[in-house]
Amino acid sequence: MKGNFNQSSNEPELQGVALLDLKRQYEVLKDEIAESLKKVCDSGAFVLGPEVKVLENNIATYSQAEHAIACASGSDALLLALMATGIGPGDEVLVPSFTFFATASAVTRLGARPVFVDIEPKSFNMSVIDTARKITAHTKAMIPVHLFGQMAEMVELNRLAQQHGITVIEDAAQSIGAEFEGRRAGSWGDMGAFSFYPTKNLGGAGDGGLVTTRNSQLAQLLKLLHVHGMEPRYYHRIIGINSRLDSFQAAIINVKIKYLESWTMMRIQNAQRYNEMFLDAGLGNKIGIPKPFPNRRHVWNQYTIRVSDGQRDELRKNLAERKIGSEIYYPFGLHEQECFRYLGYSSESLPETHRASREVLSLPIFPELTEQEQQLVVRSVKSYFDVNPARHVFPAATAVPVKKRDAA
Ligand SMILES: *Cc1c(COP(=O)(O)O)cnc(C)c1O
């Protein structure tokens, strides 16, 4: 879209690559954002104003869900969705262990029990087989997380949920615009939870979140729950929480959503370029290259490679010395976290989660990342392996490049 970040050959050599550089996006949108914020100030409507309504309509349309209810964060979106399901003590909620903390803590905040499910290793998403194995008479809901930007196996998970009368809440915090068989994240489950945290594909300038649903009864309930169950003013039939989005955030996100498709295309292109570059560099089986499933549109909130146990942390240190940003999402499964020890999982009880948490490394993938920067990342990974031979060979299946048509 914007060519102004492309470095030409006569520019100085790169001094490093940031994992995420939000300033590049801001430079382009500066004036538009300032104007939208001024409008909010002039209107005096600071909480749940017209900008929030516009945002709800924008996201409902974009996500192919009928209703959208904005709230204060992605964590609250999950909590509200569970509250609308009526989750409480004695209930079990199936969640992946390989996810951000909020997916599981929302369950415990309502006094219910998170039941951790292992992942399918190629997608890093909730395993259908392990999900089926862990359904009990107490299972009330499941929260498939569309991790890193790729949707979970929603056809199979929805089928299981239907068979057992389980509510499905999609955790789409990392996956706005992702698709499974052509249909968007947030339109598959009973509800979908989104986050506008700045590092997400559609981020505000602070915290923000939203719940989508195609069910108008659930939509009504969610609208009540996020304003203390109050309707009309000072009448409370149910107990809700205070989780509102402010108009400043909504105004900024309304500006940004116009660019979301083009940013997503840039992420997809960057991912394809990495895959080709890593193969060209002869790293195809020294690292595990992410290979999206053909029936899904991966929106690449993260580009996550695997590096065998023991070498991942070495490589990361090496990259840091070269000022290449990287991050480990996530260094432990939630089942290994101290606060969830009472649930009684051993580290190895979820073997794929355990393995992934020791192997994953996320590299810079933000839309404005240049080809030159990607080359530097790939060269840096290569020079690590030139000195430190790979101790593990990844199967060729993980080294197939992304199909061109994914970007069409
Ligand atoms: C970011 C994130 C959340 C929480 O969103 P916040 O807006 O930070 O509260 C929940 N789940 C996943 C998978 C996330 O990545």
Side-chain angles (χ1 to χ4, degrees):
M1 180 186 63
K2 302 280 189 286
N4 46 341
F5 302 115
N6 286 331
Q7 217 144 349
S8 63
S9 52
N10 56 12
E11 278 180 53
E13 218 180 305
L14 290 170
Q15 294 307 309
V17 184
L19 180 64
L20 174 64
D21 185 356
L22 289 170
K23 273 182 275 171
R24 297 187 195 180
Q25 188 182 74
Y26 179 64
E27 281 304 318
V28 178
L29 302 178
K30 224 175 193 165
D31 297 342
E32 238 181 310
I33 286 175
E35 199 179 315
S36 75
L37 292 178
K38 183 176 181 304
K39 266 196 233 156
V40 172
C41 288
D42 291 343
S43 80
F46 294 117
V47 173
L48 296 179
E51 285 285 358
V52 174
K53 276 273 165 305
V54 171
L55 176 68
E56 289 174 338
N57 287 333
N58 281 341
I59 305 283
T61 306
Y62 187 79
S63 300
Q64 302 170 339
E66 258 124 85
H67 311 277
I69 297 90
C71 61
S73 68
S75 304
D76 274 5
L78 290 164
L79 181 66
L80 286 161
L82 289 167
M83 288 174 83
T85 309
I87 296 298
D91 295 335
E92 292 177 358
V93 179
L94 298 166
V95 296
S97 170
F98 196 59
T99 178
F100 179 62
F101 184 70
T103 315
S105 64
V107 176
T108 59
R109 282 189 63 187
L110 295 172
R113 190 178 179 85
V115 173
F116 290 120
V117 174
D118 208 359
I119 53 169
E120 185 284 308
K122 284 204 183 73
S123 66
F124 300 106
N125 282 328
M126 212 157 138
S127 149
V128 175
I129 294 166
D130 202 38
T131 302
R133 201 183 287 144
K134 285 175 176 162
I135 294 172
T136 73
H138 302 289
T139 310
K140 288 281 164 57
M142 62 165 82
I143 312 182
V145 178
H146 307 316
L147 202 71
F148 301 149
Q150 181 170 232
M151 287 186 65
E153 179 53 80
M154 288 313 294
V155 169
E156 297 290 328
L157 290 174
N158 272 351
R159 186 174 298 149
L160 277 177
Q162 235 154 35
Q163 275 168 8
H164 298 271
I166 296 168
T167 298
V168 178
I169 299 163
E170 297 171 69
D171 183 339
Q174 301 182 5
S175 293
I176 190 162
E179 293 172 10
F180 189 103
E181 288 170 2
R183 224 174 83 202
R184 293 246 160 112
S187 73
W188 281 85
D190 295 281
M191 285 165 277
F194 290 85
S195 166
F196 303 121
Y197 187 72
T199 63
K200 312 293 182 180
N201 283 18
L202 181 63
D207 278 310
L210 180 141
V211 187
T212 54
T213 181
R214 284 167 300 139
N215 179 320
S216 49
Q217 268 171 308
L218 281 174
Q220 281 313 115
L221 188 51
L222 288 161
K223 272 178 204 160
L224 268 181
L225 284 169
H226 86 124
V227 292
H228 283 308
M230 184 164 72
E231 173 66 48
R233 189 177 277 262
Y234 306 128
Y235 285 77
H236 303 262
R237 274 172 292 135
I238 57 170
I239 300 171
I241 59 173
N242 170 19
S243 183
R244 301 172 300 213
L245 189 69
D246 65 73
S247 306
F248 287 123
Q249 295 305 332
I252 290 176
I253 301 160
N254 282 331
V255 168
K256 286 191 172 188
I257 195 171
K258 293 182 278 179
Y259 301 88
L260 181 57
E261 262 316 283
S262 66
W263 290 335
T264 297
M265 291 306 173
M266 290 157 88
R267 286 176 185 272
I268 291 170
Q269 191 186 28
N270 290 346
Q272 288 173 338
R273 211 149 51 192
Y274 265 141
N275 282 12
E276 283 157 19
M277 285 177 173
F278 278 127
L279 287 181
D280 289 348
L283 294 169
N285 57 5
K286 296 192 169 85
I287 62 174
I289 292 173
K291 188 203 168 204
F293 281 68
N295 62 346
R296 293 167 223 195
R297 179 165 92 142
H298 195 321
V299 297
W300 302 101
N301 182 243
Q302 300 299 339
Y303 179 88
T304 303
I305 62 170
R306 284 181 186 257
V307 182
S308 82
D309 206 351
Q311 286 191 294
R312 189 264 316 262
D313 294 345
E314 272 175 40
L315 170 63
R316 181 161 192 245
K317 198 162 151 271
N318 210 282
L319 291 176
E321 282 159 11
R322 295 163 190 268
K323 296 194 164 56
I324 310 284
S326 69
E327 190 51 89
I328 297 166
Y329 302 110
Y330 297 90
F332 299 98
L334 294 182
H335 72 289
E336 296 183 274
Q337 295 288 352
E338 190 176 336
C339 65
F340 291 134
R341 216 164 275 167
Y342 73 97
L343 294 166
Y345 291 83
S346 70
S347 283
E348 283 79 17
S349 61
L350 301 173
E352 292 298 347
T353 300
H354 185 262
R355 193 179 134 209
S357 64
R358 271 69 178 171
E359 290 188 348
V360 288
L361 189 65
S362 296
L363 301 173
I365 189 71
F366 60 93
E368 300 82 5
L369 187 73
T370 67
E371 188 170 343
Q372 286 76 9
E373 287 175 314
Q374 290 192 275
Q375 267 159 3
L376 181 57
V377 173
V378 173
R379 267 207 313 276
S380 303
V381 173
K382 187 178 181 316
S383 37
Y384 168 81
F385 282 106
D386 285 345
V387 180
N388 308 276
R391 289 177 218 145
H392 177 86
V393 174
F394 284 89
T398 59
V400 177
V402 189
K403 292 280 190 310
K404 281 286 185 212
R405 63 178 169 74
D406 286 356

